[in-house]
Amino acid sequence: MIDYARIKKECFWDMNISEEDIQRILCSSDYRSKAFLFEKLLLNSTKLLRDLKLFAREDLRVLLENFEVPQFNREYVFRRKNIAEAYFFDKPLQIEELKWPA
């Protein structure tokens, strides 16, 4: 079950967006809208991995590959992006304190 109320509260506190708008974006072929939704989830969701599962796998792969980590909050955003890459696509985990000791 998708908790749209939580997503709206956490990720869209600064704007008015409906559940239907989120669903429409997820089902559309509009990459810019998907990138916007992806960034809002990546930066603000408390259930990041669960919420990123809303995207089709190929869309998520493209969104992660094309996302540029901004200078503002760089470490925080980099960590969240890397966790998603490692979880969904088995990319190397680059966060030292989360790596298993060798």
Side-chain angles (χ1 to χ4, degrees):
M1 179 141 209
I2 301 170
D3 188 356
Y4 288 109
R6 179 190 51 77
I7 292 172
K8 287 171 44 177
K9 181 180 178 183
E10 292 176 358
C11 303
F12 295 97
W13 53 269
D14 59 342
M15 61 187 308
N16 188 14
I17 190 168
S18 69
E19 293 179 14
E20 293 78 21
D21 292 333
I22 296 170
Q23 292 170 344
R24 195 174 312 111
I25 291 169
L26 289 168
C27 295
S28 78
S29 59
D30 181 5
Y31 178 77
R32 288 181 60 177
S33 295
K34 285 185 180 185
F36 170 75
L37 177 59
F38 170 79
E39 184 172 350
K40 286 291 205 177
L41 293 172
L42 184 69
L43 299 180
N44 300 301
S45 175
T46 58
K47 300 190 184 305
L48 176 64
L49 300 176
R50 178 185 300 169
D51 291 343
L52 290 181
K53 287 181 182 179
L54 296 173
F55 291 98
R57 185 166 175 81
E58 183 58 25
D59 288 341
L60 183 57
R61 184 187 63 75
V62 170
L63 290 164
L64 280 166
E65 286 177 358
N66 292 330
F67 182 75
E68 297 283 332
V69 177
Q71 290 300 320
F72 178 74
N73 259 352
R74 183 169 183 73
E75 185 176 335
Y76 171 78
V77 177
F78 171 80
R79 291 169 63 95
R80 290 174 66 89
K81 179 180 183 245
N82 185 236
I83 289 169
E85 291 170 328
Y87 180 82
F88 289 107
F89 301 104
D90 295 323
K91 301 271 181 151
L93 191 59
Q94 299 174 359
I95 304 165
E96 286 301 320
E97 60 267 23
L98 297 181
K99 291 181 181 179
W100 287 100

